[in-house]
């Protein structure tokens, strides 16, 4: 894999977003971790259509729940993306093996998840005032490409 950072979706709900992110993971060489429960089956045709034929080119791992995902991913830094954060994602020096964590659509990460001491940092992607949030796949793409850019697209 070219990119050391890992994407982590906590309880994703929309198969098209996950399928699109599988394609992203294949394109940039990062891992995609899905922490259940998932809001869809991995055999969902919408997921497969969005991921096209990239599923076999991507490294996708499914975990029963967030605790199982943490067991596989830690002791890496966990950077949670949330609209509630003060720090902008471009102010972070991403490191190889960082975990970029995103919450379910449409709620984002729950306050209880964000309060977990295993979350190293909370960051946000700036938006114009009055906008609720970005699409999950779009937010993951912005984050993954920034992390990859910071490592000179290694």
């Amino acid at each position: 894999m070219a990119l050391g950072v890992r994407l982590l979706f906590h309880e994703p709900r929309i198969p098209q977003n996950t399928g699109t992110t599988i394609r992203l993971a294949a394109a940039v060489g990062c891992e995609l971790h899905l922490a259940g429960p998932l809001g869809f089956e991995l055999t969902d045709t919408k997921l497969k259509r969005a991921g096209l034929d990239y599923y076999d080119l991507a490294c996708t791992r499914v975990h029963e729940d967030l605790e199982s995902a943490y067991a596989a991913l830690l002791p890496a830094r966990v950077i949670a993306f949330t609209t509630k954060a003060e720090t902008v994602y471009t102010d972070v020096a991403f490191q190889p093996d960082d975990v970029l964590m995103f919450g379910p659509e449409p709620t984002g990460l729950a306050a209880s998840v964000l309060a977990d001491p295993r979350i190293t940092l909370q960051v946000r992607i700036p938006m114009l005032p009055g906008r609720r949030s970005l699409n999950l796949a779009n937010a993951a793409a912005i984050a993954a490409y920034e992390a990859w850019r910071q490592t000179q697209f290694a």
Side-chain angles (χ1 to χ4, degrees), residues 44-125:
D44 190 296
T45 56
K46 293 174 186 168
L47 177 125
K48 288 185 175 191
R49 187 175 305 122
L52 293 173
D53 54 350
Y54 287 82
Y55 193 84
D56 291 339
L57 299 173
C59 181
T60 305
R61 304 203 190 295
V62 180
H63 307 278
E64 183 178 337
D65 53 26
L66 190 53
E67 288 302 316
S68 299
Y70 280 153
L73 294 165
L74 296 180
R77 292 192 321 169
V78 178
I79 301 171
F81 282 73
T82 173
T83 58
K84 299 164 187 70
E86 295 294 322
T87 303
V88 176
Y89 78 103
T90 53
D91 292 339
V92 174
F94 291 102
Q95 300 172 6
D97 299 325
D98 279 347
V99 175
L100 312 182
M101 180 180 187
F102 299 85
E105 318 92 325
T107 60
L109 293 166
S112 60
V113 172
L114 291 170
D116 190 311
R118 293 172 288 190
I119 302 280
T120 308
L121 182 63
Q122 295 180 29
V123 298
R124 66 181 173 85
I125 299 171

Side-chain angles (χ1 to χ4, degrees), residues 9 12-27 32 34 40-42 44-55 58 60 105 135-137:
F9 285 1
R13 297 283 169 243
I14 300 174
Q16 296 93 320
N17 284 332
T18 299
T20 298
T21 306
I22 288 170
R23 190 171 181 173
L24 167 72
L32 173 61
L34 307 174
F40 50 85
E41 297 294 324
L42 291 176
D44 190 296
T45 56
K46 293 174 186 168
L47 177 125
K48 288 185 175 191
R49 187 175 305 122
L52 293 173
D53 54 350
Y54 287 82
Y55 193 84
T60 305
E105 318 92 325
N135 170 282
L136 175 60

